[in-house]
Amino acid sequence: MSTTSYPTSAHWGSYSVVVDDGRVVGVRPDPDDPAPSPLIDNTPVAQHHVSRVARPAVRRRWLENGPGPDPRRGEPDDDYVEVEWSRVLDLLAGELDRVRGEHGNEAIFGGSYGWGSAGRIHHAQSQLHRFLNTIGGYTSSRTTYSHGAVEVLFPHLLGAPGTSRLLHRAPAWTQIRRHTELLVTFGGLRVSNTWIAAGGRTAQTAGPQMHAASEAGVEFVSLSPLRDDVPEGVKSEWLSLVPGTDTAVMLALMHVLFTEGLADTDFLDRYTVGADVVRAYVLGERDERGGPRGTERTPEWAERISGVPAGELRALARRMARGRTLVNVGWSVQRARYGEQPLWAGLALACCLGQVGLPGGGFASGYGSMGNYGGGATPVGLPRMPQGANPVDAFIPVAKIADMLLNPGGRYDYDGEERRYPDIRLVYWAGGNPFHHHQDLARLSRAFGRPETVVVHETHWTATARHADIVIPATTVLERDDLTGSRGDLALRAMRRAVEPHGQARDEYDTYADLAERMGVREKFTEGRTSGEWMRLAYGRWRSLAARHGLDVPDFDEFWERGRVDMPGRVEDEALLAEFRADPEAHALRTPSGRIELFSETIASFGYQDCPGHPVWSPGPVLSDDEDHPLVLVANQPRGSMHSQQEMGAHSMAQKVAGRSPLRMHPTDARALGVADGDVVRVSSPRGSCLAGLVVSDALRPGVVQLSTGAWYDPSAPGVTCAHGNPNVLTEDVGTSSLSQGCTGQLVRVRVEPFRGEVPPVRAFAPPRGTTPA
């Protein structure tokens, strides 16, 4: 068979795979991509790796004992039985009918955090949710691990449409280059984060555009515990701060603006409500609960907390007031206790500067967090697979999965409501890996032991698959036809099948169609269409929508032959809330006041002790004195993979140290511990421990260590919770606050020490007992 190149796309961009004799043997960057992501190098190994799920498999204890809670679910030595497709579908259909009949559809949790595929049709989350809606619905999840606090907080501050524009129509990097004089970023501008977008990017433009902005004279200031949070080559000033102290710094910057007459009071009076409350709090005229005396939030106060010299904070505040300044709060900053506060304070700081709604100025939350943030907008949307309507109204915030499973009927607060967790009997997961995203993985593992049945569709034997009773082998993006694009993308792209399915893997659509047939709803699920016919229909509907906007898009056959089509109607926005600034009456925000709510009467009325009605300083647990855990660990996103996908690939494995995730440590701390580059170290917190390979670096402040997420959870070694280096065995499973209950997996206090004895092997990628490679 001759060597053939197939264009394809993933969440990390467009590229081609080289196929020889039915196997992916190489990759080629898209020739039109100015800065291709190195993550494409993971593809060949991952596509044919021994960890692929080759056949339907059922956990032996579930098969022999029947459904029921099982604390041994997920144990490293668990045993599976491979079965025929007909049998696994019969078992699964019967179990779904049993749970629905005995407990109702609310007892089914439709998991799926939908990063499994970049395709618009074979999108794992959409496919699962469509199927579950067809059979009567399911308990769902809301918000995201990435920016759950933004999603709940900002509708109160900017209204829902304003929040949508903040997240999906931020000013383009081309406009920043043209208009911005100073970009001040909390949480960095990591270029590796910009390799990722839901649906991928036709071209990786964020990194080059940051460099272009720098060359054009835009000044960058990064407040972060990590010096390399800004791409190499972008001229920037690093203000090293203690992790978790961003809010204190922002309050001190506002103190300078207020006391030196630099705050734009005309803007605050016309466009905001609550500026007087924020000013009184910053100046110490009231406390966070409205009491008459508080602490004055001076730069000297902030220096004692953050480590940033007071003089540098004063100079920065004056510099921000002199010209067009954009305040960026990255998504990472909110993923900590009280994560709503730096977001709220960042917006208040931008409002004090009076530049919200002006080109190049104002507030943003997401530059350096995702590839399509600031990469343009696609007002006519994208083709999509319809999911139908869910008749079950039960839901949880996405990061409360363990709490829900462990505490059925338990009470919790969320966005002004007192809610109770449903009693989940069956978990159905597809296209996601909570053992990457979630915190306190030992607790999550215990939680997965409580349902009566866990079902997982997977391409590989991830930790989530190894916690399942029924494992369904799914095809990868290279094994099926699809199309893809992301918000603001340059083009919609075709994804042609490049190789045959691995083993007995099937497209999930076909799996659900056969399952639906056994449950008497095949016609309702498929509407008489194959997945290929759904792809044509979705494209045709999208084309019709474009035509209604006066935009010309070729028919499907022409698109498929060309392989891509320019995104119709794509725009590069110049400013956030420009219409509101031009006329705040005609374009009032959908908030109670119609203006930006720096003080929210609504949030204040909830009475939450951990999230009052305006931005306040609340020191998180990482700032507590803990002699047993003296270092603060930053658990940011990995450079070697997207989340945990294709983590066994060549690029990802090249980042490893001693076969496990690298832990970076400042030379001062390394000398004090007597450790050196390449050593295996044990990292521990009150919740667990992991092994990591040490990298000594001065690119982070003393007292801080950094261990990225992404390592597949490996509890196989005695004495440690994870032998592979997953930091989420260390993090605490607690929400940001009662308001949003967002993820807090970014920061944790830890102890690091040399590992003594024989280093255990990493077994994360070994398939479980009873399964055989294809």
Side-chain angles (χ1 to χ4, degrees), residues 600-668:
S600 169
E601 290 278 6
T602 300
I603 294 177
S605 72
F606 298 158
Y608 294 149
Q609 293 299 307
D610 53 4
C611 189
H614 63 89
V616 300
W617 166 244
S618 297
V622 295
L623 299 177
S624 62
D625 292 328
D626 186 347
E627 294 181 359
D628 292 331
H629 303 92
L631 302 170
V632 177
L633 184 145
V634 176
N636 55 4
Q637 292 298 317
R639 298 176 184 269
S641 62
M642 191 213 78
H643 299 327
S644 61
Q645 284 195 48
Q646 300 193 346
E647 220 244 329
M648 72 296 290
H651 178 69
S652 175
M653 296 305 293
Q655 315 295 310
K656 305 283 186 181
V657 176
R660 51 210 86 220
S661 290
L663 176 96
R664 293 202 302 171
M665 175 181 285
H666 193 274
T668 302

Side-chain angles (χ1 to χ4, degrees), residues 395-409:
F395 71 89
I396 60 164
V398 69
K400 303 301 284 185
I401 171 69
D403 281 4
M404 175 186 69
L405 295 178
L406 291 169
N407 302 292

